[in-house]
Amino acid sequence: MSTQRSEQGRRVAIVTGGSGGIGRAVAERLAADGQSVVIVYAGNKATAGEVVDAITASGGSAIAVQADVADEQSVEQAFDAAEREFGGVDVVVNAAGIMLLAPLAEMDLADFDRMHRTNVRGTFVVAQQAARRVRGGGAIINFSTSVTKLALPTYSAYAASKAAVDAISPVLAKELRGRDITVNAVAPGPTATPLFLRGKDEETIDRMAHMTPLERLGRPEDTAEVVSFLAGPARWVNGQTLYANGGLA
């Protein structure tokens, strides 16, 4: 692994969607691992600030930067802030995403476009900057979903947006040949976050929790543990989608 580090001696991670849900758990886990963290948030400055405060209170190092992940200039500025504050970028985690559900025949195409703008274009734009800027020994980690395998009703548009992530990640891994940078995707299963719980009744939540052999919903920390592995010691895992779903078929 490369020994390149920030001026403070830490690896530096950018986490999009880092102000809540799985993204927050990832940001806090990477900070606990000793990385300086740049939390990229869409609009909730107060929540992002709470994550920064939690990390710094625990002895970590973090800043928050507002950016629209689908806008290339906005993302470029976020990477500029990371380099200006911490001296470089070693890890990029694409955790920003939205999930809008409806049967295919009833999906509002404006919702379809909005979701694909964030989940597909956003992943592509962030990965593009990451490919240009991540230092040797670094890692790019995109977010997919286990729904691409499950084929659940109402998830067609969301699953399609995440299937694009599955396609982008191994191609980028090959394009970065010779630079000692890994590119992988993480595909969580049902996880107890506002993104998943919103709009679901207790019966649906309980049924989905019992779909796994472990008979519970995932916790954000479960996925953060997988990201920590890919962001640090997992140098021989590259171009893969890892299913972090408790054994969900």
Side-chain angles (χ1 to χ4, degrees), residues 44-209:
N44 196 328
K45 183 177 181 179
T47 303
E50 290 173 5
V51 183
V52 171
D53 290 344
I55 289 172
T56 55
S58 298
S61 179
I63 61 170
V65 178
Q66 192 279 331
D68 173 359
V69 293
D71 181 84
E72 60 270 32
Q73 292 182 338
S74 184
V75 170
E76 185 175 1
Q77 290 168 2
F79 275 76
D80 288 344
E83 292 179 347
R84 185 168 56 248
E85 182 73 18
F86 298 122
V89 179
D90 302 289
V91 173
V92 174
V93 182
N94 263 313
I98 59 175
M99 182 170 65
L100 305 172
L101 304 180
L104 187 148
E106 301 171 17
M107 171 61 69
D108 186 304
L109 292 181
D111 286 344
F112 178 94
D113 290 342
R114 182 159 66 95
M115 184 159 52
H116 279 244
R117 184 179 185 276
T118 297
N119 295 359
V120 181
R121 180 183 170 92
T123 295
F124 196 95
V125 168
V126 173
Q128 188 174 66
Q129 281 297 314
R132 294 170 180 172
R133 303 220 204 179
V134 168
R135 298 183 288 201
I140 300 169
I141 302 159
N142 298 319
F143 263 70
S144 178
T145 176
S146 291
V147 175
T148 55
K149 292 199 306 180
L150 295 172
L152 295 175
T154 74
Y155 281 82
S156 60
Y158 178 70
S161 74
K162 292 301 188 176
V165 175
D166 288 340
I168 290 167
S169 302
V171 172
L172 181 56
K174 292 183 178 180
E175 290 177 348
L176 295 180
R177 174 182 295 274
R179 288 183 50 192
D180 190 23
I181 297 170
T182 61
V183 185
N184 294 287
V186 176
T191 304
T193 66
L195 180 73
F196 170 78
L197 298 173
R198 187 180 303 117
K200 294 182 175 67
D201 58 34
E202 287 298 323
E203 180 181 356
T204 299
I205 293 169
D206 186 65
R207 174 174 51 80
M208 296 188 76

